[in-house]
Each structure stands twice: as structure tokens, then as C-alpha cells.
Amino acid sequence: MAFLDSWEEELNDFVKKYYQAFFTKNGFKFLKKEAGQGGGLMIFSDSDILVEMVNNKGRFVIKVGKVEGQYWGLDMIKAYFKIVDYRIDEDDTINRKKALLDGFKQDDYSGNAAYLANNFNKMKDIFSSKKYDEIKLQLEKLSLEKLKYA
């Protein structure tokens, strides 16, 4: 009988509590798990989007992406949508800074889950879009811009 490592058990419980209904509804399948220092990660996919769930010493981080190894945190996706939807110019540093720094509270796991569920079609669109390479560059640029404000 195999026993789970504590990080894996915690991550399984986390997924069941916050994401299982979403994954089931949207046809996500478990792709892989990987142990790491201080925890580990699990990756789920619906064939268009990958969702990486990381447990690092009892802290959970959710990231989405198209290609394994290229993930974006929900905070960055939220900032991207805000900047694009509200057409915030690069010259508007006050609103860009606000959009980039207006993330989720560290332990707001239900907020993360609700945001993913409510914006899933929009995320699916950008990650399956033919414009993904352009969007990826914009996300990378926003990540660097966010570093200036952090």
C-alpha cells in the first residue's frame, strides 16, 4: 500500500475543495505530478490549457499556460485582461500600476478558483488563439513592468 507524501495529500485536498467541480465540468484531466523542494506540483489539462497547482510549504499557487513550463499566475492574467479590456495605455502609469499590483490576497484560494471559473472561456481563447505568440510577448512585457512596481 502506497502512501502519499504530505505535499501531495495537501494538494489533493486543495484540488478537491476548490477546483474539482471546475475540472470535472470542463473536462480537465490529471496530467502529471512532480515533487520539489518544500512541496510539489500537479498539472491538469483540458487539451487547450494547462493548469499548474503548486504546493510550496502549505502555500498554494495556481498558474495557467499553453505549453508546459510557460505558466502565468492568475494575478498576471487578471492584470492583462484589465489592461486590455480598459485599454490602459503605457503612458497611464497610475492605472497600469494599479492593474498590475491589484492581485489576490495570498490565501484567497476561493477567489482564485472563482476567477478561473468565471474567466475560463476568455483564458481558453487567449491560450488557444492564433495570437498566442503575441499575447505571450505582452504577458512577458507586463511581468517585467510589474517588477518595477513591486
Side-chain angles (χ1 to χ4, degrees), residues 71-114:
Y71 296 99
W72 307 100
L74 290 179
D75 284 344
M76 186 54 59
I77 299 294
K78 182 180 177 182
Y80 169 79
F81 286 148
K82 233 180 228 184
I83 289 169
V84 169
D85 291 348
Y86 294 110
R87 297 185 179 117
I88 302 172
D89 292 327
E90 289 184 25
D91 298 339
D92 188 353
T93 55
I94 293 170
N95 285 316
R96 286 177 77 85
K97 179 179 179 180
K98 185 178 179 187
L100 287 166
L101 296 179
D102 183 28
F104 299 98
K105 291 186 172 105
Q106 192 166 13
D107 293 336
D108 185 11
Y109 302 131
S110 60
N112 279 307

Side-chain angles (χ1 to χ4, degrees), residues 5-123:
D5 289 331
S6 64
W7 72 265
E8 188 175 355
E9 192 172 326
E10 290 171 355
L11 198 48
N12 278 330
D13 291 344
F14 176 79
V15 169
K16 286 177 190 172
K17 182 175 181 178
Y18 294 105
Y19 290 92
Q20 192 62 54
F22 169 79
F23 284 160
T24 301
K25 177 183 175 190
N26 291 291
F28 274 80
K29 303 287 184 217
F30 173 78
L31 198 58
K32 77 178 208 177
K33 68 179 176 180
E34 193 173 294
Q37 189 172 350
L41 63 87
M42 290 182 179
I43 300 173
F44 298 84
S45 176
D46 76 341
S47 77
D48 290 324
I49 291 182
L50 298 172
V51 176
E52 179 184 71
M53 304 201 149
V54 179
N55 178 357
N56 186 1
K57 298 178 184 171
R59 291 263 189 239
F60 301 96
V61 178
I62 312 316
K63 298 179 181 179
V64 294
K66 178 177 178 152
V67 178
E68 198 168 329
Q70 292 181 349
Y71 296 99
W72 307 100
L74 290 179
D75 284 344
M76 186 54 59
I77 299 294
K78 182 180 177 182
Y80 169 79
F81 286 148
K82 233 180 228 184
I83 289 169
V84 169
D85 291 348
Y86 294 110
R87 297 185 179 117
I88 302 172
D89 292 327
E90 289 184 25
D91 298 339
D92 188 353
T93 55
I94 293 170
N95 285 316
R96 286 177 77 85
K97 179 179 179 180
K98 185 178 179 187
L100 287 166
L101 296 179
D102 183 28
F104 299 98
K105 291 186 172 105
Q106 192 166 13
D107 293 336
D108 185 11
Y109 302 131
S110 60
N112 279 307
Y115 188 81
L116 179 62
N118 293 335
N119 293 281
F120 178 63
N121 287 332
K122 232 172 143 175
M123 286 182 212

